[in-house]
Amino acid sequence: TDEIMQQEIRPLVAVDIIEQLHRQFAILSGGRGKDGAPIITFPEFAGFSEIPDDDFLNVVTYLTSIPSLEAASIGFIIIIDRRRDKWSAVKASLTRIAGAFPGNLQLVFVLRPSRFIQRAIADIGIKLYRDDFKMKVPIIMLNSVSDLHGYIDKSQLTRELGGTLEYGHSQWIHHRTAIENFAMTVKSTAQMLQTFGTDLAETELPNDVQCTEELLCSHTDHHSKLKDELKLAVKQGATLLTCIREPVTRSANSKLSPDELENVATVERLLAQLDETEKAFDQFWTKHHLKLEQCLQLRHFEHDFREVKLTLDNLMETQAGFADIGDSVTRVENLLKEQKHLEEKGQEPLEKAQSLALHGEQLIQNNHYAVDSIRPKCVELRRICDDFTNETKKKYDILGKSLELHKQLDKASQWCEAGIYLLASQAVDKCQSQEGAETALVEIEKFLVTAKEHQLSNPKEFYNQFDMILTPEIKANAQRIVQKLEDVQEMFDKRQVSLKKLAAKQTRPVQPVAPHPESSPKRASPKITRPAAVENLGQFCGAPGRGPAAQNGNHALCHMEGRASSAMLIHHHIINELIETERVYVEELQSIIEGYASEMDNPNLVHLIPSALQNKKEILFGNLPEIYYFHNRIFLKEIENCIENPELLARCFLKRKEDLQIYEKYCQNKPRSEALWRQCGDSIFFQECQRKLDHKLSLDAYLLKPVQRITKYQLLLKEMLKCSKNSEGTAELEEALATVLDIIKSVNDSMHQIAITGYEGDVSELGKLLMQGSFNVWTDHKKGHNKVKDLARFKPMQRHLFLYTKMLLFCKKREENTDGHEKTASYSFKNSLKMSTVGITENVKGDNKKFEIWYNGREEVYIIQASSVELKNTWISEIRKVLTGQLEACR
């Protein structure tokens, strides 16, 4: 197949000497001698002697190169037709042929001049000059074409020589040109295929999908173009073959000359070479194209692998982040939901990973060249999938154990609570009789039978069962509940001993004691509906200040029980009250937002809204939606988690200190809201909303709920702190109470601040408001009339002071009645002192309630009298902090 690539281009082709060939001074007619020798004819040509040597040599060389090597090796027969010429032309032709003919000669036939004199001269000349021609072959002089027929068959001679051979010189030139062009086309096509094949073999495979796709597309396009070139070349060869065979096709009696047959063979050989070249190229292209496609498959596989692995790694990282096993039943159930969500979220990437691994195995089965790269990735994908599935199962197992553990702990804790309430509910008066004591004993015995349900009687067995999930926190909680169980069991044991004594025959009657009037409950607990439990327990156990029961014979019986459980019981009672009131508070906020605020956007009620209320929803309700969102989504859930761990309550308030500042904004807006309500509160719109909600109170009562709620927290924290003195968690409770009080103070201060009038500057630029309050103030100005100064000293002014980090404002408090409603305070601005230029004196002339502030080197002096020593000391301390802070800033 490489023959056409290896052979040299012939030195001459028809197109190079086309003009010389057209002159027709020498032709290769296609005839053959009897032994197959090719015949070259030199027809009569007037200017034969004038043909340049190079032209003559080129034409003769070209003609001798056309026959096959086999035919050329026999030797050429030359026919020189000089019938109409002179001996000189014959001589010149023979001399030139003898000196320049490049091929192997067999015979030379000369048709000598037909004129008598020239024929005679030719006969003599040939005898005289035969040796000068230096021809080693015979030169046969012929008188006529009939003599030529004795040597060469007529069928091998053209009509000019009396033969029957069909020959058209122009057609012959056309065929030769076409054959040579076709040969060049075949060679150039083969070279293009070989160059392209070399480029393909040397091409480095890209490392990404896009470049691989571009390379595959580029090579495919180039391959298609080369295939088109091949098809065009084959079509060209087929057309040329048809043209050469045309005489035979046109007439069944026609035969192709040997030269034409050789032309056919040449074209067929070229077509065969073209076909073999194409097959070889197609085989190579098939392999190369397969490799490119496999490369593209590999790059797609690698790209998908990276994406899937990244997703799976993120999934595994998220799963690894689920290290929490929960500290309560609710928390564990939420964790199980989160784990379920993660498992559902992971289904799609896991399916993709499995599908991709299957695809990789199919590539391997299809004999992909990159097996060593694909197989490890398939193994990695399946490993990650298995790891995620196994880890998920392990998480479910651990969380299941944790859920079981916390349910058991809750059950045990609830059993303890129920036991405490059972003891508390056994009234003293009923137990004084033998029958009452026996009844109480039966109740206790029935209750103690249920102790088996909590299954915590054997701590060692319990720890062994849940060893895999026992964190220090859970273990501490379990130990606390185990201790609680022991304490409750001890309380029951002591109660049983006491009741058994009381069940014996009574020697004296016992005076029954009625419950204390203050024992009426406030509100039922949301989970345990025993409103009088705390009070009854206090009576039965002889709590101080609860009547004569403390002095009767049962005091010793219950003293230990009351001391062990009363603090815990009160804590739970406070937590229950806090949670229940918080739920009610959230529900009330929700009803306000949905029943009033949202209805202001209801198209069916727009006509009922007074014009003064249009586009003023934010003024009426303030940031109530923000408060509702915080309590409903965050705060309520956090304090609900404290039901079993009251010690965590303080942390809730400390953690949400910044969030509770939203009440400051609400309270600042409250005067504007009240003014708008006084203007529009009696409208039909509000009446219709109240009717739908079935509220007994109007909206303004509900808009006071946030103000009341923020003060409620400090009361509950104070109650909790009373029964937690010197115990664990007291410090946090005190800090939480201080936080709430600080928020209430900040809210209160901001309410006063917004009532300041007459101040030309921006109050917000004065820094944080630290203190505010009313005082008696005397002023002493050095620059002024003495009488004025003396008068000022003995006549105090009532001033309301606002202490900021940058300024101290003096205002005059004014109270005004507003349409028969409560008086509203406002503060008229009178004077201000920059804190950077003031000084302070603590004691003024022995009065421990007075202090002195001086300004600009005592040019102005203000003597301020507080209502109490504590208030004075608080203000002095706060002012000193501001001055100290300024001094440190200057340093």
Side-chain angles (χ1 to χ4, degrees):
T1 58
D2 292 336
E3 178 184 348
I4 193 71
M5 296 294 298
Q6 293 172 355
Q7 68 183 31
E8 293 294 331
I9 297 295
R10 291 187 178 93
L12 286 174
V13 291
V15 72
D16 294 335
I17 56 173
I18 193 72
E19 292 182 2
Q20 293 88 327
L21 290 174
H22 273 296
R23 295 174 72 181
Q24 204 173 343
F25 60 80
I27 62 173
L28 184 68
S29 62
R32 290 286 192 272
K34 293 179 180 179
D35 56 356
I39 299 174
I40 295 178
T41 303
F42 289 88
E44 290 180 322
F45 190 82
F48 186 79
S49 59
E50 299 173 1
I51 297 172
D53 290 342
D54 288 342
D55 291 352
F56 177 82
L57 181 60
N58 285 340
V59 170
V60 173
T61 302
Y62 176 70
L63 293 179
T64 56
S65 68
I66 292 174
S68 65
L69 294 175
E70 182 183 356
S73 64
I74 299 173
F76 289 89
I77 296 175
I78 293 178
I79 299 175
I80 303 173
D81 186 1
R82 294 292 181 264
R83 287 174 291 174
R84 297 178 184 178
D85 218 329
K86 299 177 181 179
W87 159 248
S88 59
V90 174
K91 181 181 177 183
S93 297
L94 289 172
T95 302
R96 174 168 276 184
I97 291 169
F101 193 79
N104 182 24
L105 285 174
Q106 185 187 89
L107 285 173
V108 178
F109 294 98
V110 180
L111 287 172
R112 55 189 171 186
S114 58
R115 285 178 292 178
F116 179 76
I117 296 175
Q118 291 299 324
R119 181 181 295 180
I121 294 172
D123 289 341
I124 297 170
I126 196 67
K127 292 178 182 178
L128 294 174
Y129 295 101
R130 182 180 295 272
D131 294 336
D132 294 341
F133 297 143
K134 297 181 181 178
M135 287 188 180
K136 298 179 181 179
V137 297
I139 300 174
I140 302 171
M141 301 296 289
L142 303 172
N143 292 325
S144 64
V145 293
S146 57
D147 295 341
L148 181 61
H149 297 162
Y151 295 96
I152 300 172
D153 191 88
K154 285 184 179 182
S155 63
Q156 302 301 315
L157 296 173
T158 61
R159 294 182 184 275
E160 289 77 8
L161 296 177
T164 60
L165 181 64
E166 295 291 337
Y167 176 76
H169 190 62
S170 296
Q171 186 183 37
W172 180 87
I173 292 175
H174 175 70
H175 283 178
R176 290 310 308 167
T177 305
I179 291 170
E180 289 165 1
N181 282 340
F182 179 56
M184 289 300 296
T185 299
V186 171
K187 183 168 185 176
S188 63
T189 303
Q191 287 175 336
M192 284 191 295
L193 293 177
Q194 186 175 27
T195 302
F196 182 53
T198 303
D199 291 342
L200 296 185
E202 295 174 353
T203 300
E204 292 186 5
L205 297 178
N207 292 323
D208 60 273
V209 172
Q210 184 179 352
C211 292
T212 307
E213 287 177 341
E214 291 174 356
L215 183 66
L216 180 59
C217 182
S218 171
H219 284 187
T220 304
D221 288 345
H222 198 170
H223 170 260
S224 299
K225 290 177 182 178
L226 287 176
K227 289 291 287 185
D228 291 341
E229 295 281 344
L230 276 168
K231 290 178 181 177
L232 193 62
V234 170
K235 186 177 180 181
Q236 180 184 349
T239 304
L240 179 58
L241 207 56
T242 302
C243 292
I244 297 173
R245 289 173 173 168
E246 184 184 359
V248 177
T249 306
R250 191 171 58 246
S251 173
N253 297 325
S254 298
K255 291 183 180 179
L256 296 178
S257 67
D259 280 358
E260 288 174 332
L261 290 173
E262 284 190 1
N263 286 343
V264 169
T266 299
V267 174
E268 287 177 342
R269 177 174 58 83
L270 289 171
L271 284 172
Q273 290 178 354
L274 202 59
D275 182 61
E276 291 174 1
T277 303
E278 182 179 11
K279 286 179 181 178
F281 175 72
D282 284 346
Q283 289 178 357
F284 176 78
W285 168 253
T286 300
K287 293 179 182 179
H288 178 75
H289 187 259
L290 176 61
K291 190 167 186 178
L292 278 181
E293 286 185 329
Q294 288 185 342
C295 178
L296 183 59
Q297 291 171 347
L298 176 63
R299 299 303 174 238
H300 275 298
F301 177 79
E302 291 173 339
H303 177 267
D304 293 343
F305 171 78
R306 285 192 294 271
E307 286 189 345
V308 170
K309 188 174 186 303
L310 179 62
T311 305
L312 291 177
D313 288 344
N314 291 336
L315 204 62
M316 292 293 290
E317 185 177 349
T318 304
Q319 189 181 58
F322 281 131
D324 189 7
I325 62 171
D327 55 4
S328 66
V329 172
T330 304
R331 177 60 179 158
V332 176
E333 288 174 345
N334 289 334
L335 288 173
L336 281 168
K337 289 178 182 177
E338 291 176 9
Q339 184 63 40
K340 182 67 176 176
H341 176 70
L342 179 64
E343 184 183 21
E344 292 172 353
K345 183 181 175 182
Q347 286 306 308
E348 184 178 352
L350 286 175
E351 289 174 2
K352 284 185 179 179
Q354 294 287 1
S355 176
L356 188 60
L358 184 61
H359 176 59
E361 290 174 355
Q362 290 174 347
L363 292 178
I364 294 172
Q365 291 174 1
N366 293 335
N367 298 320
H368 197 285
Y369 71 87
V371 172
D372 293 339
S373 175
I374 296 172
R375 183 173 282 118
K377 292 180 174 62
C378 294
V379 173
E380 176 72 4
L381 288 172
R382 295 195 186 282
R383 182 193 64 77
I384 296 177
C385 290
D386 292 342
D387 287 351
F388 180 80
T389 303
N390 295 334
E391 193 63 27
T392 299
K393 185 177 181 302
K394 188 186 296 183
K395 291 283 185 185
Y396 276 127
D397 292 342
I398 292 175
L399 289 174
K401 280 282 187 184
S402 179
L403 183 63
E404 182 184 352
L405 163 67
H406 288 296
K407 281 183 177 179
Q408 287 196 25
L409 292 177
D410 284 357
K411 201 169 184 180
S413 181
Q414 289 168 8
W415 185 86
C416 290
E417 293 291 330
I420 292 170
Y421 280 107
L422 174 62
L423 294 175
S425 64
Q426 292 180 338
V428 178
D429 54 346
K430 293 181 181 180
C431 293
Q432 300 306 310
S433 65
Q434 184 176 3
E435 182 181 357
E438 290 174 351
T439 303
L441 274 172
V442 171
E443 289 178 351
I444 290 174
E445 288 169 359
K446 285 182 179 179
F447 183 78
L448 289 177
V449 172
T450 64
K452 297 178 181 178
E453 297 177 7
H454 55 68
Q455 297 177 349
L456 291 183
S457 55
N458 188 342
K460 185 176 181 182
E461 181 182 340
F462 172 78
Y463 292 145
N464 290 337
Q465 182 181 359
F466 297 104
D467 182 59
M468 60 182 292
I469 61 168
L470 279 178
T471 63
E473 293 80 8
I474 295 176
K475 192 170 184 179
N477 187 34
Q479 288 173 344
R480 182 179 63 80
I481 293 176
V482 169
Q483 183 61 48
K484 187 176 180 181
L485 282 168
E486 292 175 356
D487 292 343
V488 171
Q489 187 65 49
E490 184 181 356
M491 291 168 63
F492 272 110
D493 292 343
K494 291 180 180 180
R495 177 63 63 85
Q496 283 178 311
V497 171
S498 301
L499 289 173
K500 285 177 181 178
K501 291 179 181 179
L502 290 171
K505 187 176 180 180
Q506 300 290 324
T507 58
R508 60 185 177 87
V510 178
Q511 179 67 32
V513 180
H516 194 276
E518 295 178 0
S519 65
S520 59
K522 292 183 178 181
R523 188 178 182 92
S525 171
K527 291 188 177 179
I528 304 174
T529 56
R530 292 183 174 88
V534 178
E535 204 61 45
N536 291 338
L537 185 64
Q539 294 171 13
F540 194 43
C541 296
R546 295 302 184 188
Q551 283 80 36
N552 65 25
N554 290 327
H555 176 73
L557 165 69
C558 301
H559 181 68
M560 291 296 293
E561 297 173 0
R563 186 174 61 184
S565 62
S566 60
M568 177 177 63
L569 197 59
I570 292 171
H571 278 197
H572 279 284
H573 179 73
I574 294 172
I575 291 290
N576 288 336
E577 181 180 355
L578 174 61
I579 292 173
E580 183 183 6
T581 54
E582 186 76 11
R583 288 171 180 163
V584 173
Y585 176 54
V586 169
E587 290 173 2
E588 289 174 340
L589 293 182
Q590 184 180 5
S591 70
I592 298 171
I593 293 170
E594 294 178 355
Y596 286 98
S598 297
E599 289 296 292
M600 291 182 71
D601 299 323
N602 187 345
N604 298 326
L605 299 178
V606 170
H607 64 285
L608 300 179
I609 301 175
S611 58
L613 192 60
Q614 296 287 346
N615 301 321
K616 292 183 179 178
K617 183 166 68 173
E618 292 184 0
I619 294 177
L620 183 62
F621 296 99
N623 63 330
L624 196 69
E626 184 183 6
I627 294 174
Y628 168 69
Y629 179 88
F630 166 69
H631 283 273
N632 183 46
R633 296 288 184 90
I634 300 172
F635 201 58
L636 175 59
K637 290 180 172 57
E638 289 183 353
I639 62 175
E640 281 178 339
N641 291 334
C642 301
I643 186 68
E644 293 300 332
N645 300 287
E647 66 274 6
L648 299 179
L649 180 63
R651 297 179 194 174
C652 291
F653 285 94
L654 294 174
K655 179 181 177 183
R656 297 300 171 186
K657 179 179 179 180
E658 297 298 326
D659 295 315
L660 289 168
Q661 296 292 336
I662 55 178
Y663 281 92
E664 183 175 336
K665 182 178 178 182
Y666 183 82
C667 292
Q668 285 178 346
N669 180 68
K670 198 71 178 67
R672 298 173 66 203
S673 173
E674 290 175 350
L676 185 60
W677 173 257
R678 287 194 293 270
Q679 186 178 357
C680 309
D682 57 352
S683 70
I684 301 174
F685 170 75
F686 290 118
Q687 294 174 12
E688 179 63 19
C689 292
Q690 184 177 345
R691 184 189 64 78
K692 287 183 178 179
L693 292 170
D694 196 23
H695 280 181
K696 294 180 180 180
L697 301 175
S698 57
L699 174 62
D700 60 331
Y702 286 93
L703 291 176
L704 279 172
K705 295 290 183 181
V707 181
Q708 297 166 345
R709 188 61 184 167
I710 193 65
T711 57
K712 177 70 173 176
Y713 292 137
Q714 56 126 349
L715 298 175
L716 292 170
L717 288 172
K718 284 180 179 177
E719 286 297 320
M720 235 176 150
L721 198 56
K722 284 180 183 178
C723 56
S724 301
K725 288 295 183 183
N726 301 322
S727 63
E728 186 179 354
T730 302
E732 282 191 337
L733 273 173
E734 290 175 344
E735 189 177 353
L737 177 59
T739 295
V740 175
L741 290 174
D742 186 54
I743 292 170
I744 293 173
K745 176 184 175 299
S746 178
V747 169
N748 185 52
D749 289 347
S750 68
M751 292 289 289
H752 287 275
Q753 175 183 264
I754 62 175
I756 297 174
T757 61
Y759 182 72
E760 296 180 355
D762 188 353
V763 177
S764 63
E765 294 179 357
L766 302 182
K768 183 180 178 182
L769 177 60
L770 304 174
M771 304 283 287
Q772 57 84 25
S774 295
F775 298 89
N776 290 328
V777 179
W778 290 265
T779 61
D780 185 0
H781 298 270
K782 289 185 177 181
K783 295 179 180 179
H785 198 274
N786 288 334
K787 290 184 178 180
V788 175
K789 290 192 289 183
D790 292 339
L791 179 64
R793 286 182 181 274
F794 296 103
K795 188 178 181 180
M797 298 176 291
Q798 297 296 321
R799 290 290 183 262
H800 201 88
L801 273 59
F802 292 87
L803 176 63
Y804 295 89
T805 53
K806 296 181 181 179
M807 194 81 75
L808 178 64
L809 299 187
F810 291 83
C811 299
K812 185 173 183 179
K813 183 177 181 180
R814 301 181 187 278
E815 292 184 350
E816 300 175 357
N817 289 329
T818 309
D819 299 333
H821 292 270
E822 294 180 0
K823 293 180 179 180
T824 58
S826 65
Y827 303 96
S828 299
F829 171 73
K830 295 297 181 181
N831 193 17
S832 63
L833 302 178
K834 288 184 178 180
M835 294 304 295
S836 58
T837 58
V838 303
I840 186 170
T841 305
E842 292 189 25
N843 295 313
V844 179
K845 296 181 179 180
D847 190 337
N848 58 3
K849 293 183 182 179
K850 290 182 180 178
F851 62 98
E852 184 180 80
I853 293 178
W854 40 270
Y855 187 61
N856 279 345
R858 293 190 175 274
E859 286 184 4
E860 297 179 22
V861 178
Y862 297 83
I863 299 172
I864 300 170
Q865 184 181 46
S867 59
S868 66
V869 177
E870 292 78 11
L871 181 61
K872 167 202 162 184
N873 292 335
T874 303
W875 271 75
I876 289 175
S877 174
E878 203 64 39
I879 292 171
R880 288 200 178 281
K881 286 180 185 177
V882 174
L883 298 179
T884 304
Q886 291 177 349
L887 182 61
E888 290 177 354
C890 290
R891 287 174 178 170

